[in-house]
Amino acid sequence: MIELKDYQKQAVENLHRKLENCLRSSENEIVVFQAPTGSGKTVMVSELLKEIVKNRQDDKKFSFIWVSVRMLHEQSKEKLEAYYEDDRLLKCSYFEDLEDKIIGENEILFINWHSINKKDINIFIRENEQDNNLNNIIKNTKEEGRTIVLIIDESHHTANSEKSKELVEIISPKITLEVSATPHLTGNADEIEKVRLSDVKEEEMIKSGISVNPEFLGVKVGKQSADELVIDEALKKRKELIKMYANEKAKINPLMLIQLPDNKAGLISKKEEIVRILEKKGITEKNGKLAIWLSEEKSETLPEIEKNNSEVEVLIFKQAIALGWDCPRASILVIFRESKSFTFTIQTIGRIMRMPQLKYYSKEPELNDGYVFTNLENIEITEDYAKDYITVY
C-alpha cells in the first residue's frame, strides 16, 4: 500500500471537500486540479476517488469516466488497478469490459481521447445496431440513478477544444475534474486545487531545480556543428553524474534524453544526424547504449529502460510520445533549435524532474538538479511554476 506524503494527503482532503461542495450544487460543476510533474497526480486522484466512494453522502451511487490523451489511459488504468488491489473498492474497465452496456457502481471507464476524436472509426460515439455507443451507455448509467464524475487527465491538451466540450456535453457529468500541471484557467472552474512546487521539493520527490546550459560560457566551438557541441557538453555532464552516483554508492546509470522536434518535416534526417554523432562517441543501438522511441521506430531495449541500472545511456524520443512517461533516472535533456518559437514550460522538462530514489543526495548535491543542453537562441519562460524552477545560463 502506498503511503501518501503530507502534501498529497492535504491535496486529497481539500479536493474531497471541494467535490462535496460541487455535489451539493444544482449545476454541473468543473474542478481543476493543478499539480507539478512528479508530484504523484495519479496517486492523489486514485485516493480521491476512493474517498468519494467510502464517504459518500445521501446514499449517492457513483460511476466514473477517465479520459486520457494518446495511450495514457492504459498507463492510468494499470496504476489505478495496482492502487486498488488491496481493497478493490473500485473496478477499472475499458469500453469492451462493461457489462450490460452500463458503467457499474464504483466502476471507472478508461477512454483513449484520440479514439473518440477520429472521424469514421469512432466506435464510442457512433450509433450502431447494438446501441453499444457512449450516448447509450451514459443514458443507461444515469437511469440506474448513478452520479457520473468525469476525469480529464492532462487536461491542458484537450479540455478547451470543441471536441472536448462536445464530449462533456454528451456525458453531462455532475463533476468534471480537470487534472494537469499546466491547466488552462479560463475562469470556467468552480473550484481550483493547486499543489505547490515547493511542497513537492520539500518531500524530495522531484529535482531541486533545472539548469539550462550550465558551464556553457567558456566552451570553444571549433569545427563542430552546433548540434554536436550540445551533445558533447551533455555527454560530459553525464560522465560527471556517473562519478557522483558512485560516490553516493547509488547504483544508477543516468539517462540522457535527446528530444526531436514534433514537426514531421526533417524529423528523419535529424534523427539520422544525431545517430551519426552518437556513433562517433561509441553510443549505438547495437551495443545497447542507445535507444530510439519514435512512433515508427522503437528499440528492443525500451521495456527495460526505466530501471535504474539499465545499460541504455541515451534515448532519442519525441516530446509528444513521452507525455506521462516516468523514468526517474533521466537527468539530462537535449533540445535542438527549431524553426518555430519555443517556450519552456514544466511540461518540457517533466521527463527529467523526478528523483530516482525519492531523496536528495548530501555528498553530491549536483545530483539533486536536472540539466538541459540546447542551442535555442532565445529561451522564454512565461509560466509561474517554470520561472521558479529553471535557471538559464
Side-chain angles (χ1 to χ4, degrees):
M1 186 66 200
I2 296 171
E3 178 63 34
L4 267 63
K5 304 285 184 188
D6 287 345
Y7 74 84
Q8 293 175 328
K9 287 176 189 168
Q10 190 62 59
V12 171
E13 200 178 298
N14 294 347
L15 272 172
H16 189 205
R17 191 174 60 251
K18 286 169 181 176
L19 260 70
E20 289 295 338
N21 287 341
C22 293
L23 287 168
R24 283 191 284 272
S25 164
S26 56
E27 304 289 322
N28 291 351
E29 306 230 326
I30 295 171
V31 178
V32 171
F33 179 37
Q34 180 175 10
T37 303
S39 60
K41 289 191 290 289
T42 306
V43 166
M44 288 184 272
V45 177
S46 304
E47 183 62 25
L48 172 69
L49 301 191
K50 205 153 96 169
E51 287 299 310
I52 292 170
V53 165
K54 268 165 58 180
N55 304 301
R56 59 189 183 189
Q57 305 292 317
D58 310 323
D59 293 326
K60 270 194 167 63
K61 294 176 180 178
F62 291 96
S63 295
F64 303 92
I65 298 173
W66 185 297
V67 182
S68 294
V69 292
R70 301 186 180 94
M71 300 314 286
L72 268 186
H73 71 301
E74 291 179 2
Q75 189 179 305
S76 300
K77 182 174 180 281
E78 276 175 32
K79 281 184 182 175
L80 267 75
E81 274 176 332
Y83 195 81
Y84 299 135
E85 203 169 19
D86 294 338
D87 47 35
R88 303 200 177 276
L89 267 175
L90 288 105
K91 180 184 178 185
C92 302
S93 303
Y94 290 133
F95 191 76
E96 58 271 20
D97 302 325
L98 298 179
E99 292 175 22
D100 302 322
K101 299 165 194 164
I102 196 166
I103 307 166
E105 185 178 348
N106 303 339
E107 184 170 21
I108 309 167
L109 168 63
F110 287 85
I111 298 177
N112 169 2
W113 177 255
H114 293 275
S115 67
I116 53 174
N117 275 290
K118 285 181 184 173
K119 288 177 181 174
D120 305 323
I121 59 163
N122 194 332
I123 59 165
F124 298 104
I125 306 289
R126 184 178 65 196
E127 293 293 331
N128 54 38
E129 61 281 3
Q130 295 93 18
D131 289 330
N132 196 15
N133 56 68
L134 190 60
N135 280 334
N136 205 46
I137 284 164
I138 298 300
K139 181 169 154 282
N140 294 344
T141 304
K142 286 183 177 176
E143 280 175 0
E144 287 292 313
R146 286 200 272 282
T147 299
I148 293 180
V149 176
L150 170 67
I151 299 103
I152 304 180
D153 194 14
E154 300 292 354
S155 62
H156 58 282
H157 280 274
T158 57
N160 285 332
S161 71
E162 284 310 310
K163 278 285 185 186
S164 178
K165 289 168 187 168
E166 203 180 297
L167 176 68
V168 173
E169 209 173 293
I170 287 167
I171 297 170
S172 188
K174 178 64 191 158
I175 296 173
T176 300
L177 178 63
E178 297 182 9
V179 183
S180 173
T182 52
H184 297 301
L185 300 172
T186 55
N188 293 336
D190 298 287
E191 298 275 7
I192 299 170
E193 176 61 24
K194 180 176 177 177
V195 172
R196 288 181 175 81
L197 195 72
S198 55
D199 291 339
V200 187
K201 280 163 65 170
E202 203 172 293
E203 292 282 4
E204 303 182 0
M205 296 275 285
I206 59 172
K207 306 266 192 339
S208 60
I210 301 292
S211 297
V212 180
N213 290 345
E215 304 147 32
F216 234 32
L217 294 175
V219 173
K220 289 180 181 169
V221 177
K223 292 178 181 175
Q224 293 171 301
S225 68
D227 290 352
E228 189 165 358
L229 174 68
V230 167
I231 290 172
D232 262 357
E233 288 303 303
L235 287 172
K236 206 185 292 177
K237 176 55 76 176
R238 205 189 85 82
K239 279 183 181 168
E240 288 173 20
L241 296 184
I242 290 169
K243 286 176 187 168
M244 290 176 199
Y245 276 122
N247 199 20
E248 287 278 3
K249 295 184 168 48
K251 292 180 179 174
I252 293 161
N253 186 20
L255 181 66
M256 175 173 139
L257 306 177
I258 298 181
Q259 178 185 320
L260 295 178
D262 266 349
N263 55 325
K264 295 266 170 66
L267 179 70
I268 301 303
S269 58
K270 190 72 173 176
K271 187 212 83 177
E272 286 169 357
E273 179 194 335
I274 292 161
V275 167
R276 273 197 302 274
I277 293 170
L278 291 170
E279 196 172 353
K280 286 197 285 184
K281 322 284 180 194
I283 298 166
T284 65
E285 267 192 289
K286 207 170 185 180
N287 65 17
K289 292 181 179 182
L290 172 65
I292 295 169
W293 185 11
L294 303 173
S295 53
E296 64 281 356
E297 184 181 353
K298 294 180 180 68
S299 300
E300 289 176 9
T301 47
L302 282 178
E304 302 291 309
I305 201 168
E306 290 164 37
K307 292 180 178 174
N308 281 340
N309 61 353
S310 162
E311 288 180 13
V312 177
E313 298 176 2
V314 179
L315 171 68
I316 295 174
F317 77 110
K318 269 176 73 174
Q319 174 72 7
I321 291 174
L323 181 75
W325 173 67
D326 298 345
C327 184
R329 73 183 182 97
S331 307
I332 298 166
L333 173 63
V334 172
I335 301 172
F336 296 110
R337 188 182 295 126
E338 292 193 41
S339 52
K340 58 181 185 190
S341 63
F342 189 96
T343 304
F344 264 78
T345 67
I346 283 290
Q347 299 292 344
T348 312
I349 55 169
R351 309 288 66 82
I352 58 165
M353 280 176 66
R354 290 169 173 80
M355 288 303 292
Q357 295 178 306
L358 301 182
K359 67 169 189 179
Y360 285 169
Y361 301 99
S362 52
K363 284 188 203 167
E364 300 287 358
E366 278 189 60
L367 293 173
N368 304 331
D369 283 350
Y371 300 92
V372 176
F373 292 88
T374 180
N375 54 14
L376 289 167
E377 287 167 12
N378 298 306
I379 296 171
E380 187 188 352
I381 302 168
T382 55
E383 192 182 82
D384 288 344
Y385 269 160
K387 272 181 186 170
D388 298 337
Y389 198 63
I390 300 170
T391 306
V392 181
Y393 290 91

